[in-house]
Amino acid sequence: MEKLLNLLTLNRVRFHALSLRGRVLLSQIPLSATMLLLFLWIALTDAALFDDSRLRASVVLTVALFAACVVVPWERLPYPSFLAVPLLDFVPIGLLRESAADTVTGLGLLAAFPVIWLAASGQLPRFSIFASALATLGVVWVPLFIGDARVTLESLTQPLLLPFMMFAIAVTVSVMTSSMTEQQRVVESKDVELRALLDDTARRERLLNAIVNAVGVGVLAIGEDGRRLMMNSTQQALHEYGMPRGVLDAREDDLLLFGEGGTVPLAAEERPERRAAAGETFSDYLVWIGEPGNQRVLSTSARTIRDADGRMEGSVIAYSDVTEFVAALAAKDDFVSHVSHELRTPLTSIHGYAELIGMSENLPSEVEWGLEVITRNSTQLLGLVSDLLGAASGATEIRVAPNDLAALVRSAVNAGLPRAAAAGIALQADTPESLPVSCDAARMTQVLDNLISNAIKYSPQGGAVTVHAGATDDGVMFSVTDTGMGMSDQDARDVFTRFFRSSEARRSVIPGLGLGLALAKDIVERHGGSLTCRSVLGEGSVFTCTLPATESAREVAEAR
Ligand code: ADP
């Protein structure tokens, strides 16, 4: 039934899916069926009409045209020769109209069937419109010319309504058809574009999956509601590692995640996934995963995904396994601290005994000179060893008390004068009378000593080092300026990194470990201040330290 309905309603999709012969046949059926019904009607009501040869010819032609639709191999004929059928349809219609006009009225309207076919075919639109109008004109005029009656202007104009109607129908159908064809073309081209887009998207997805699974980093994507959208294979393995025993399908809250050191479980809001779901962006956030005693250390980073309007759509979290790296760092610190401890005791005694012997009187001059060398070198070695110890033991306690920065600067400069004089460098302080500050005097002196001794160490003979101190809008500052070898921009940026030594320092074989500035920066920052470096290669460097106002300095130090 559905099939039949589809056929009768000329369902577009099915009609286009038909073969050309099927389409020709289907287009001819409405007219042939109507004509046959009319022939039957005439046979039943007025059979005498069949004596008229025109009616018989109409029957024969109707049947012949229908048969042609079935028999002729339209696919093999030049396109669109099938239009001959609707054109020829006007002949049996004209013959029927002429022979049975008295019995059945309005037979000329049958022309609407071939007119619609011609116009709806979408082929040769202009030809179809004019052919429709002319053929209908033929239907009404030809009998006038071949008949016996006299052709008058009135007899010619009277039946013009029919051709005019058919012309209008042809124009309307043709316009609708071309607009539908255009729409169809647009839909088809959109369909092609959509398919290409889908193929491209599928290809990108495969590529992304391959990349995400190939990297040795766990990757997790979550939606704006915290729902997990994607997890790569590495993350899957890490996830399983963090699952408590006996739990098969762990949620983020169930995972065994711990904070610094791997002992204190992470609170819900400190978990990387929760932080990312809350819209936080972070890098290198260390978490410990797994049962205590058998944990792995993960460095986690998160970035939010935003749509074109800047609204958060979700987040991507990356988990890198840094267990070996963290273990290596701990082993290195352990080793450094151990070695420096072992070195300090014999060194202190060498230094002490050298000084003791130096106090004796009447020593030969070469012994005195030798003792001086021992003392100088052992002092330097002790300095290096305490730098090493300081770096390995990490944060030293800061005890903040009211101090005068100007006095601290002046005494550090005084302490550096002998070394500056020996190196042929002019060292001077430029400070106001007093500069009240809250700081740990011993630690701040350590910073000043380090900066001043560096300025002397990395300046050639004849250079000048100035230590300037003063007040700022929100605290105090001091700077150490030298006219020494300076550094490149890149080196000046890396200068506070542990064990960093500039290329110039390495080339000029000036001894050092690259730890002093890292320690100095740590001390200043733990006072709530900052330590920066500006340097020009071959011209000199300026190290600037700022410290916050008295009260805030105390708060920062107490909070640490
Ligand atoms: P060390 O002096 O023991 O090598 P530091 O941490 O004090 O270690 O300094 C790190 C590096 O920074 C030095 O090796 C040197 O290359 C560079 N540096 C520090 N101060 C200066 C300076 N005033 N002028 C030029 N280079 C400097």
Side-chain angles (χ1 to χ4, degrees):
M1 184 66 191
E2 200 190 353
K3 257 188 178 177
L4 187 70
L5 261 179
N6 270 337
L7 278 175
L8 288 177
T9 53
L10 299 186
N11 178 301
R12 268 195 84 77
V13 181
R14 280 176 179 268
F15 184 76
H16 278 275
L18 288 174
S19 66
L20 184 57
R21 187 199 300 246
R23 277 182 279 156
V24 170
L25 190 61
L26 214 61
S27 307
Q28 180 66 2
I29 282 176
L31 177 67
S32 302
T34 315
M35 297 273 280
L36 284 177
L37 278 176
L38 282 170
F39 293 142
L40 264 177
W41 171 254
I42 293 167
L44 291 174
T45 55
D46 199 354
L49 275 184
F50 279 98
D51 294 341
D52 189 333
S53 58
R54 290 172 302 180
L55 185 58
R56 289 201 302 279
S58 173
V59 174
V60 171
L61 267 173
T62 304
V63 174
L65 279 170
F66 187 74
C69 291
V70 181
V71 177
V72 174
W74 299 107
E75 283 89 354
R76 276 190 249 143
L77 296 184
Y79 202 80
S81 40
F82 62 87
L83 288 186
V85 179
L87 284 175
L88 288 172
D89 277 341
F90 287 98
V91 180
I93 292 171
L95 291 169
L96 174 63
R97 180 173 176 272
E98 273 315 298
S99 53
D102 297 337
T103 311
V104 189
T105 50
L107 284 173
L109 288 176
L110 286 171
F113 286 108
V115 165
I116 291 174
W117 183 358
L118 277 171
S121 70
Q123 307 298 321
L124 317 172
R126 278 193 203 138
F127 166 78
S128 299
I129 291 170
F130 286 105
S132 302
L134 285 177
T136 321
L137 200 62
V139 167
V140 295
W141 274 3
V142 169
L144 292 182
F145 286 109
I146 57 173
D148 304 333
R150 209 163 60 85
V151 179
T152 61
L153 185 62
E154 200 193 344
S155 67
L156 282 177
T157 49
Q158 213 178 13
L160 273 188
L161 179 63
L162 189 66
F164 184 74
M165 268 173 61
M166 292 307 138
F167 176 73
I169 290 175
V171 169
T172 312
V173 174
S174 175
V175 167
M176 280 166 59
T177 306
S178 69
S179 125
M180 265 164 58
T181 315
E182 177 59 19
Q183 275 179 17
Q184 178 107 1
R185 204 187 52 72
V186 171
V187 169
E188 273 165 14
S189 79
K190 289 268 176 271
D191 190 51
V192 171
E193 272 176 38
L194 197 70
R195 267 172 212 288
L197 213 66
L198 281 176
D199 281 353
D200 198 39
T201 311
R203 201 170 45 78
R204 275 164 193 264
E205 197 179 318
R206 282 196 300 275
L207 182 69
L208 189 72
N209 279 341
I211 294 173
V212 162
N213 282 319
V215 293
V217 173
V219 180
L220 171 68
I222 53 173
E224 77 269 35
D225 52 357
R227 212 166 13 94
R228 287 179 182 162
L229 301 177
M230 196 270 301
M231 191 189 264
N232 71 350
S233 47
T234 311
Q235 179 56 15
Q236 193 78 46
L238 288 173
H239 190 84
E240 276 162 25
Y241 197 84
M243 284 207 278
R245 232 169 272 153
V247 179
L248 289 178
D249 183 21
R251 293 177 310 137
E252 141 90 342
D253 293 354
D254 303 326
L255 289 185
L256 297 168
L257 286 180
F258 298 84
E260 183 81 44
T263 45
V264 185
L266 272 189
E269 67 281 2
E270 289 175 341
R271 292 168 170 254
E273 213 173 312
R274 280 287 189 90
R275 288 182 62 185
E280 264 191 72
T281 292
F282 51 88
S283 300
D284 278 336
Y285 176 53
L286 287 190
V287 296
W288 275 249
I289 189 168
E291 305 273 355
N294 189 22
Q295 292 170 322
R296 302 210 66 81
V297 190
L298 304 178
S299 163
T300 64
S301 308
R303 295 287 177 274
T304 45
I305 313 167
R306 301 200 173 271
D307 65 11
D309 299 328
R311 269 192 305 268
M312 182 179 149
E313 275 187 328
S315 282
V316 175
I317 313 152
Y319 296 78
S320 338
D321 190 335
V322 291
T323 314
E324 273 74 38
F325 184 61
V326 169
L329 275 185
K332 190 194 79 183
D333 280 353
D334 206 36
F335 172 77
V336 171
S337 138
H338 202 72
V339 168
S340 30
H341 255 299
E342 295 299 316
L343 284 177
R344 194 151 66 164
T345 321
L347 256 180
T348 316
S349 75
I350 293 171
H351 187 75
Y353 279 108
E355 274 186 342
L356 202 67
I357 300 170
M359 282 179 216
S360 327
E361 284 169 13
N362 302 328
L363 286 174
S365 63
E366 32 330 333
V367 175
E368 255 184 39
W369 178 80
L371 281 174
E372 203 184 300
V373 174
I374 293 175
T375 315
R376 196 171 61 237
N377 283 308
S378 60
T379 310
Q380 192 190 344
L381 265 180
L382 268 176
L384 292 178
V385 168
S386 45
D387 272 3
L388 270 177
L389 257 181
S393 61
T396 28
E397 208 189 328
I398 301 282
R399 287 201 194 88
V400 173
N403 276 295
D404 179 4
L405 183 67
L408 291 179
V409 168
R410 282 193 295 267
S411 76
V413 167
N414 284 337
L417 281 176
R419 204 166 344 141
I425 285 166
L427 170 65
Q428 57 168 355
D430 167 26
T431 65
E433 192 59 36
S434 85
L435 266 179
V437 66
S438 273
C439 71
D440 184 324
R443 297 277 150 244
M444 209 40 73
T445 304
Q446 187 182 341
V447 173
L448 276 160
D449 282 349
N450 183 269
L451 294 178
I452 295 171
S453 74
N454 274 353
I456 297 169
K457 197 158 78 166
Y458 299 111
S459 295
Q461 203 175 11
V465 174
T466 309
V467 188
H468 169 84
T472 62
D473 289 346
D474 47 7
V476 291
M477 60 76 69
F478 67 84
S479 62
V480 181
T481 310
D482 66 58
T483 54
M485 60 169 65
M487 283 169 276
S488 67
D489 284 350
Q490 182 57 50
D491 282 355
R493 271 195 290 276
D494 294 336
V495 86
F496 299 107
T497 312
R498 279 203 208 178
F499 296 106
F500 172 81
R501 308 217 64 222
S502 72
S503 7
E504 281 65 40
R506 273 180 276 131
R507 220 174 292 135
S508 56
V509 220
I510 300 171
L513 281 178
L515 283 171
L517 284 178
L519 271 177
K521 191 172 172 72
D522 181 54
I523 292 170
V524 172
E525 282 179 353
R526 287 192 308 118
H527 276 83
S530 68
L531 182 60
T532 54
C533 165
R534 262 187 312 114
S535 189
V536 179
L537 194 61
E539 287 185 20
S541 314
V542 185
F543 285 84
T544 309
C545 167
T546 59
L547 293 169
T550 311
E551 267 316 304
S552 48
R554 190 189 302 279
E555 279 163 21
V556 172
E558 275 164 10
R560 283 166 192 251

